[in-house]
Amino acid sequence: MGQTITALERQKRHEDRISVYLDGEFAFGLPDTEAAHLRVGQVLSDEAIEALRAIDALSRAVDRAVRLLARRPYSVEEIRRYLASKDIAPGVIDAALARLEDLGYVDDRAFAQYWVENRERFRPRGARALRYELRQKGIADAIITQVLEGLDPAESAYAAAQDKARRLRGLDRRTFRTRLGDFLARRGFEYETIREVVGRLVADLEANETDFFAPHDTDEDEPEIE
C-alpha cells in the first residue's frame, strides 16, 4: 500500500520549496534539499509519507521562527508562544527550537543581554523592572542575575530622568522632586537610587539653569521622597 509521486513543482512564493503531488493531488511541501531525493513515479509507503510530512511541518515551523527573528532577537519562550499561536503541534515546536538552537539562532543569555543593552540605550529601567520584563519573556533567574550584574543603577536612573526632568521645567522644587521620583519609581528604580539621582539633578539644574525652577522656590523644610 502506498501512493505514487505524480508531480514535483517548485513553489512560486517560496522558491526553495517543492510541492509534492501524490496520485494527482497536492500532498505537502518540502525544502528542495529534501525533495531532491524524490522522483516522479516513485511509490511512497504510508510510513515514508508520514516521515516526509513531519519534515515539512518542522521546516515550516523553523521558517516561521526565522522570519520572526529577522525583526529582532526573541527569547526561546517568546518563539514557543508565537509558534503555538499558529496552531503548530507542541512536538514540532520542540523540534524547531532544538534546530534553531543548533543553528545559533536562539540563545536566551544573548537575548537577555540584548534586551538590557537596548533598554539602557533607549529607555533605561531599574533592575526590578528589567527582572520583571525578562521573567515575562521566560528568561531563567540565573541568566537575569548575570546580565544585570554590570549595571550602575544610579547612572541608569540619571539617564532615564533627563528627558522627564526637562518636561518639568517651571515647577517648584518640591513638585519637581515628587514627580520625577514617581517617574523613576515606575521605571523600577529603588528608593535610595531615586533620592540620590533626584538630588543630583536638582543640584545640576540649579548650577546650570538659574530660571529652571519656579521663582522664589526653595528646598527649605522639603520632605523626603516617599
Side-chain angles (χ1 to χ4, degrees), residues 104-147:
Y105 287 164
V106 292
D107 178 334
D108 271 355
R109 193 188 187 291
F111 167 78
Q113 191 68 49
Y114 154 83
W115 188 264
V116 170
E117 289 176 356
N118 186 270
R119 282 302 198 206
E120 281 290 283
R121 186 175 298 114
F122 299 109
R123 291 178 65 84
R125 296 283 195 277
R128 174 161 45 85
L130 289 170
R131 186 176 294 276
Y132 174 80
E133 289 180 343
L134 291 171
R135 280 177 174 166
Q136 291 294 104
K137 295 179 180 301
I139 305 300
D141 281 344
I143 294 176
I144 296 174
T145 298
Q146 289 175 2
V147 299

Side-chain angles (χ1 to χ4, degrees), residues 21-22 25 30 34 36 81 94 107 115 141 147 157 183 193 201 203 217:
Y21 291 80
L22 300 177
E25 296 184 356
L30 286 174
E34 295 291 341
R81 293 170 188 164
D94 289 341
D107 178 334
W115 188 264
D141 281 344
V147 299
F183 168 79
T193 299
L201 269 166
D217 181 38

Side-chain angles (χ1 to χ4, degrees), residues 34 46 49 59 94 103-104 114 124 127-128 146 159 163 165 177 186 189 193 195 199 203 206 208 213 225:
E34 295 291 341
D46 292 342
I49 292 171
S59 173
D94 289 341
L103 293 171
Y114 154 83
R128 174 161 45 85
Q146 289 175 2
D163 287 342
R177 286 177 177 273
R186 290 193 298 272
F189 292 100
T193 299
R195 184 171 64 173
E206 286 177 330
N208 298 308
F213 294 106
I225 296 173

Side-chain angles (χ1 to χ4, degrees), residues 150-218:
L151 293 183
D152 182 332
E155 289 306 312
S156 297
Y158 190 80
Q162 295 298 309
D163 287 342
K164 181 65 174 179
R166 294 293 171 191
R167 295 197 294 272
L168 299 178
R169 172 183 286 276
L171 295 177
D172 60 85
R173 288 172 179 77
R174 177 178 298 183
T175 305
F176 175 88
R177 286 177 177 273
T178 299
R179 291 192 183 178
L180 189 58
D182 289 346
F183 168 79
L184 292 174
R186 290 193 298 272
R187 288 288 187 94
F189 292 100
E190 302 296 336
Y191 169 76
E192 290 300 329
T193 299
I194 294 172
R195 184 171 64 173
E196 173 189 342
V197 167
V198 172
R200 177 180 167 190
L201 269 166
V202 169
D204 288 349
L205 292 168
E206 286 177 330
N208 298 308
E209 301 189 39
T210 55
D211 62 344
F212 187 89
F213 294 106
H216 312 301
D217 181 38
T218 177

